Amino acid sequence: MAAIVPGPKQDGSVLLPNQWSLRPEGKQILVGDFPSNIALHPDGKHAAVLHCGFGKHEVVILDLAQAAVRSRVALQESFYGLTFSRDGSRLLASGASKETVHVMDFKGGWVTEHREMALRDPKLKGIPSGLAVSKDGRTAWVASVLGQRISVLDLTSGTVRNEIQLAEGDLAVALRAEDQAKSEDEDSITKRAEALLQLVNADAPYPYAVVVDEAKGRLYVSLWAQSSVQVLDLATGSKLARWKAGDHPNEMILTKSGKHLLVANANHNTVSVIDTATGATVEQLVAELTPGALPGSTPNSLALSPDERHLYVANANINAVAVFEVEKWGRSRSLGFIPVGWYPTSVRVTADGKTLLVANGKGLASKSNRNGPQPGFSFPATVAEYIAGLFQGTVSLIDLPSDADREATLKKWSSKVYAGMPTLSKASVVGIGPANPIPSKVGDPSPIRHVVYIIKENRTYDQILGDLPFGNGDPSLCLFPEKVTPNHHKLAREFVLLDNFYVESEVSADGHEWSMGAYASDFVEKTWPLSYGHNQQKKYSYPSEGNFAIAAPAGGYLWDRAREAGVTYRSYGEFISNAKKADQPGKTRVKALEGHFDPYFRSFDMDYPDQKRADRFLSELKRFEKEGEMPRLQIVRLPNDHTSGTTAGKWTPTACVADNDLAFGRVVEGLSRSKFWATTAIFVVEDDAQNGPDHVDAHRTIAYVISPYTKRRSVDSTLYSTASMLRTMELILGLKPMSQFDAMAQPMSASFTGTADLASYQHVVPQVNLEEKNGKLAWGGKLSDKMDFTREDAADDLLLNEVVWRSVKGPDSPMPAPIRAGFVLAKKGVDDDD
């Protein structure tokens, strides 16, 4: 039976690599990289759209009658904040790391007199976010999301009247000291930064959005990290109250009467309706496709119809807008869903109530990349060809139904949304009977008791396995063929080849979150593009891997589920901070791993070979054999396929990947020769595929399932993603899923068989020099010397991939341009099974 293959479907939908599909309603206007906010002009004729992703930032002005772009304004940088003055004469946008507010005059669809008003010294860290303007247009209130404060900006003089620090206690003291700090030696700066980060993780509120209520003399501030809304006195800035909300409160709206404040809670699938007289929650509206769904809907924007009868909620991760009837607060009811584009970030209703506007952060499909990195390109001219900039967002203009047609129309639209949810592949169940070792539900028995989960870094399928003749590969894109990666090739032959496997992530920042939690929170999704593409001032820290408590998904990580189920677990390098020296113990970044990690297993460090990581893991394996048992879940990090480019004196890209390959083979061999082999399954994946060449899709990567119960010497072309791998491990170990995405993902049952083959694996030594170092004159050496390899993805990946290609293929070999779509084209001769 033919496998389900992603791509355009006969019904007009697009099946995405993450196993979900799109069926967007309305007209689509292409705007730019990651649109995050829409502001409607009071004239009802225009809308401003702010896009602030990896690439260049802009405000795009839309002509709503023509459904077209009227004008564009380039911004050096912005983050979320966007609003018109009440009379429509001015447009304001946040200035992010420039610590400014962009102020622009507006008339007839055109922006003039663009100027910036400074909030503070640009060397300080604030990052303006949400904005609100007074009725008279003279005052703006600005939330600084990383500065933990509210600035009161005089729009007439351009001066700051007041700054309200929302942090309290030791954190407030530390932030004041940071503002006043003079230049110090690097060690002092590092120590101060580490101390501040600890306080931030414990106590920082992260003010996100602001709503002004001049009738009551109040300012409402959503505290992104503290599940609450801060109420401030407009006149004095004093703190009047703090109201409880859901996890990750972000966008808010106030009803016309001022009696109710609505708050979107991204991590809780909910909207809180708060009575502003008492601060009590009148009701919670649940934006879920199924009752009691796990976290993952990610509601992050709200809009009320002009008559305030209907509420629209943009749910980023399920690609849908939820519709509620809200005529009687406390007795609201769900009316259904509207299908929109990929990752909706903002929703608005026109003043006449006839049209819904939705910003789709990742558009309708990721852009193809036929004009990939070429000789002589200059950054950021080709930034759109990098995976972080491939997603060209759109704005949907959707005609809303009349009262008479609303019920029937929403029923039809809702059916499209539900049709976009993952469904089990028919191909995945062929030949799978009750003897299959992957249980059909959590709690059922499995002959597999132990799971080893290996995480690697940033490679596509074609880069490693493109030369395998029996898989869907392109040999011309294979950078590291069998002589460099003999264990990757041998394991694919001896066990099962997965040539239709995808990551949900774009880069390591969201990749490690998806790999461990089957979800990347709205904090991670909205801040990593700035960390990667707009970090010249070094204000944006890497938002993942336990660095920030706010990044953690509501459903926890894999080890949280293991602890909950009483399953023993241990991490080797994942979510671990290295000590300065390799012989010193590292530290865990998350509480659940305390006492459950190997402090002497080195995490990401390109100066430390994967061979030593393999040595350490194998020594631990021997210890466990002597003790008679090993942890049932072990997470092992082998990161050196990331490479250090052609930095002089560092291992060459080929040596790094070969080192990674040999370590991989040795770990598998050790496990296959251990006393635990008969009850073990090894799962291997890259945390992300990033910018490597692949002829199918930028998200396609290498993945492995290695076990006595693997269906040996087979090819499994079922569409899988990282969430599938997590779901399969959960079923084996009896763990509850963490999010909607692993809960609904396709288990990898088709890669397994009920008959065990206990034959062990013999590793192979790569036929290249593992100690080869880059010379001073290596192509791209000067570029590599400027790159930061102290952590994953700190280097410019677009440049790094060009350097790696030429290092392997030769300095005169131009890098081929891979095709990168948000969907995967079907293989020749293979149809879907609709």
Side-chain angles (χ1 to χ4, degrees):
M1 184 180 294
I4 293 177
V5 179
K9 311 293 278 188
Q10 292 181 355
D11 62 1
S13 66
V14 174
L15 179 60
L16 301 171
N18 65 6
Q19 306 178 51
W20 292 64
S21 61
L22 301 176
R23 293 168 172 80
E25 283 294 323
K27 301 175 183 177
Q28 306 296 326
I29 305 174
L30 184 68
V31 288
D33 176 16
F34 202 72
S36 62
N37 203 346
I38 301 174
L40 293 174
H41 191 272
D43 68 8
K45 299 177 181 179
H46 300 97
V49 182
L50 175 68
H51 59 86
C52 46
F54 175 87
K56 66 178 181 178
H57 292 183
E58 288 183 319
V59 170
V60 179
I61 306 300
L62 302 182
D63 183 317
L64 298 182
Q66 299 298 319
V69 173
R70 181 69 177 269
S71 62
R72 294 177 180 269
V73 181
L75 306 178
Q76 183 172 333
E77 193 177 313
S78 190
F79 180 73
Y80 175 68
L82 184 72
T83 187
F84 281 103
S85 59
R86 303 292 178 89
D87 64 2
S89 65
R90 282 180 170 179
L91 176 63
L92 281 71
S94 81
S97 71
K98 291 195 72 180
E99 307 301 338
T100 63
V101 172
H102 299 279
V103 181
M104 297 158 273
D105 292 344
F106 185 90
K107 186 175 182 180
W110 299 94
V111 169
T112 60
E113 299 298 324
H114 179 192
R115 55 208 177 276
E116 294 183 63
M117 295 185 180
L119 297 177
R120 58 188 63 87
D121 187 326
K123 294 180 181 178
L124 301 177
K125 182 188 288 188
I127 315 299
S129 177
L131 302 167
V133 180
S134 61
K135 288 182 180 179
D136 62 13
R138 296 178 181 177
T139 305
W141 292 269
V142 188
S144 289
V145 68
L146 299 187
Q148 320 301 336
R149 67 193 70 182
I150 301 297
S151 299
V152 184
L153 178 63
D154 187 318
L155 292 172
T156 302
S157 65
T159 60
V160 176
R161 291 191 205 135
N162 188 21
E163 284 214 319
I164 307 162
Q165 180 55 254
L166 299 180
E168 299 176 345
D170 291 341
L171 176 58
V173 173
L175 287 170
R176 283 194 292 270
E178 185 76 6
D179 287 350
Q180 299 166 4
K182 306 297 182 183
S183 58
E184 304 172 5
D185 61 87
E186 187 174 339
D187 189 53
S188 297
I189 293 173
T190 300
K191 288 181 179 178
R192 193 174 72 244
E194 290 176 350
L196 182 59
L197 179 58
Q198 290 182 355
L199 291 170
V200 166
N201 269 332
D203 301 312
Y206 288 87
Y208 184 86
V210 292
V211 169
V212 63
D213 184 352
E214 292 183 82
K216 289 187 173 68
R218 295 174 178 175
L219 186 74
Y220 303 118
V221 185
S222 60
L223 304 183
W224 209 6
Q226 292 187 342
S227 303
S228 58
V229 173
Q230 182 72 64
V231 185
L232 301 176
D233 185 286
L234 279 182
T236 66
S238 60
K239 299 172 183 177
L240 300 177
R242 183 174 286 195
W243 298 336
K244 185 178 180 182
D247 197 10
H248 281 217
N250 47 77
E251 191 163 282
M252 305 177 292
I253 51 175
L254 187 67
T255 58
K256 293 176 184 177
S257 67
K259 292 182 178 180
H260 295 98
L261 182 72
L262 282 62
V263 187
N265 305 307
N267 265 17
H268 266 178
N269 302 348
T270 62
V271 176
S272 296
V273 181
I274 299 175
D275 185 325
T276 59
T278 65
T281 298
V282 174
E283 62 182 335
Q284 280 201 337
L285 307 179
V286 182
E288 296 175 346
L289 294 176
T290 56
L294 290 169
S297 295
T298 319
N300 66 357
S301 185
L302 306 170
L304 274 171
S305 59
D307 60 9
E308 296 194 335
R309 293 173 54 205
H310 299 102
L311 174 68
Y312 300 90
V313 184
N315 294 282
N317 277 105
I318 59 173
N319 313 317
V321 170
V323 185
F324 292 90
E325 184 182 82
V326 292
E327 289 184 90
K328 296 182 179 179
W329 295 111
R331 297 183 179 180
S332 302
R333 67 187 184 98
S334 172
L335 296 180
F337 296 89
I338 303 173
V340 293
W342 200 347
Y343 206 88
T345 55
S346 187
V347 60
R348 304 288 182 255
V349 186
T350 54
D352 60 8
K354 294 181 179 180
T355 306
L356 192 73
L357 280 73
V358 182
N360 303 302
K362 299 185 180 184
L364 306 177
S366 50
K367 183 181 177 182
S368 65
N369 192 17
R370 297 180 184 276
N371 299 309
Q374 296 292 340
F377 75 89
S378 60
F379 185 83
T382 56
V383 77
E385 309 303 334
Y386 173 44
I387 189 171
L390 288 178
F391 303 107
Q392 295 302 294
T394 66
V395 171
S396 301
L397 301 183
I398 302 169
D399 293 332
L400 291 172
S402 64
D403 287 346
D405 296 332
R406 182 171 288 109
E407 183 177 345
T409 301
L410 282 172
K411 183 177 181 180
K412 179 184 70 174
W413 285 348
S414 295
S415 67
K416 289 186 177 183
V417 172
Y418 282 102
M421 298 168 66
T423 55
L424 290 179
S425 163
K426 296 176 184 177
S428 72
V429 298
V430 173
I432 297 177
N436 191 277
I438 308 305
S440 59
K441 64 180 185 295
V442 171
D444 284 355
S446 171
I448 302 171
R449 175 174 173 78
H450 302 97
V451 167
V452 179
Y453 185 25
I454 298 176
I455 306 295
K456 300 184 336 90
E457 287 282 341
N458 303 14
R459 294 292 148 225
T460 63
Y461 178 92
D462 275 340
Q463 281 182 303
I464 304 295
L465 300 177
D467 60 338
L468 277 179
F470 54 95
N472 183 19
D474 184 340
S476 70
L477 298 179
C478 184
L479 277 180
F480 305 106
E482 190 155 6
K483 70 175 184 178
V484 182
T485 55
N487 291 288
H488 284 77
H489 286 72
K490 184 178 179 181
L491 286 164
R493 287 191 181 96
E494 290 195 5
F495 290 88
V496 57
L497 174 66
L498 301 168
D499 64 352
N500 199 22
F501 191 104
Y502 305 84
V503 290
E504 284 87 352
S505 57
E506 277 76 59
V507 297
S508 287
D510 58 333
H512 284 274
E513 295 296 309
W514 276 102
S515 297
M516 294 299 133
Y519 182 70
S521 71
D522 62 325
F523 170 78
V524 173
E525 290 279 9
K526 291 179 178 178
T527 58
W528 77 250
L530 299 174
S531 172
Y532 279 60
H534 296 268
N535 211 8
Q536 291 82 0
Q537 303 299 321
K538 304 297 182 184
K539 292 186 179 182
Y540 304 108
S541 300
Y542 181 68
S544 183
E545 299 181 53
N547 282 316
F548 294 92
I550 187 177
Y557 296 105
L558 198 56
W559 42 76
D560 296 306
R561 285 294 189 249
R563 181 178 60 176
E564 176 186 69
V567 171
T568 53
Y569 60 96
R570 187 170 172 84
S571 172
Y572 297 85
E574 189 69 8
F575 282 55
I576 305 300
S577 296
N578 287 329
K580 288 187 176 180
K581 296 181 179 180
D583 59 353
Q584 296 174 336
K587 298 179 180 179
T588 178
R589 297 169 180 159
V590 290
K591 187 174 180 61
L593 287 179
E594 291 177 0
H596 296 273
F597 75 100
D598 184 349
Y600 292 99
F601 187 97
R602 195 122 178 113
S603 189
F604 188 90
D605 179 355
M606 287 307 305
D607 292 328
Y608 190 84
D610 275 345
Q611 297 314 302
K612 289 187 177 182
R613 294 184 178 91
D615 291 343
R616 179 64 189 177
F617 177 80
L618 293 173
S619 69
E620 287 290 279
L621 180 60
K622 288 182 179 180
R623 177 172 69 85
F624 292 139
E625 286 194 283
K626 290 180 181 179
E627 295 174 356
E629 181 59 298
M630 68 177 184
R632 293 189 61 199
L633 171 63
Q634 296 181 86
I635 302 164
V636 182
R637 192 165 187 176
L638 294 177
N640 280 12
D641 56 341
H642 181 282
T643 87
S644 294
T646 54
T647 305
K650 303 293 186 181
W651 289 299
T652 65
T654 295
C656 288
V657 174
D659 167 54
N660 177 263
D661 175 84
L662 181 56
F664 177 27
R666 290 178 57 215
V667 167
V668 172
E669 179 180 310
L671 286 164
S672 73
R673 295 179 183 274
S674 74
K675 64 185 294 182
F676 308 112
W677 178 234
T679 59
T680 295
I682 306 166
F683 294 84
V684 187
V685 73
E686 307 282 310
D687 76 289
D688 66 81
Q690 258 193 76
N691 200 38
D694 190 278
H695 82 284
V696 176
D697 188 89
H699 297 88
R700 192 172 70 137
T701 192
I702 54 171
Y704 293 82
V705 290
I706 303 165
S707 171
Y709 290 94
T710 299
K711 190 179 294 183
R712 297 256 190 163
R713 291 168 289 280
S714 66
V715 177
D716 183 358
S717 294
T718 307
L719 171 61
Y720 296 129
S721 66
T722 302
S724 297
M725 188 169 279
L726 289 166
R727 184 59 178 152
T728 309
M729 291 188 284
E730 291 163 354
L731 290 168
I732 290 171
L733 295 172
L735 312 183
K736 295 179 181 178
M738 298 170 284
S739 76
Q740 295 179 38
F741 304 101
D742 52 336
M744 297 184 192
Q746 177 70 60
M748 302 179 73
S749 306
S751 290
F752 290 85
T753 180
T755 303
D757 182 343
L758 296 176
S760 60
Y761 176 74
Q762 176 68 51
H763 79 267
V764 186
V765 178
Q767 299 303 301
V768 295
N769 181 6
L770 272 67
E771 295 300 325
E772 182 182 28
K773 301 290 180 68
N774 294 309
K776 293 182 179 180
L777 300 180
W779 194 96
K782 291 183 179 180
L783 289 173
S784 297
D785 289 344
K786 297 177 182 179
M787 295 179 185
D788 181 2
F789 294 105
T790 58
R791 65 165 175 81
E792 60 276 41
D793 292 2
D796 172 12
D797 194 66
L798 189 64
L799 292 172
L800 178 58
N801 276 278
E802 176 83 352
V803 168
V804 171
W805 177 271
R806 291 176 182 273
S807 170
V808 175
K809 295 289 190 178
D812 297 324
S813 175
M815 183 172 173
I819 298 170
R820 291 196 174 136
F823 49 84
V824 184
L825 297 178
K827 298 179 194 177
K828 185 176 181 180
V830 180
D831 298 317
D832 62 61
D833 65 346
D834 276 359

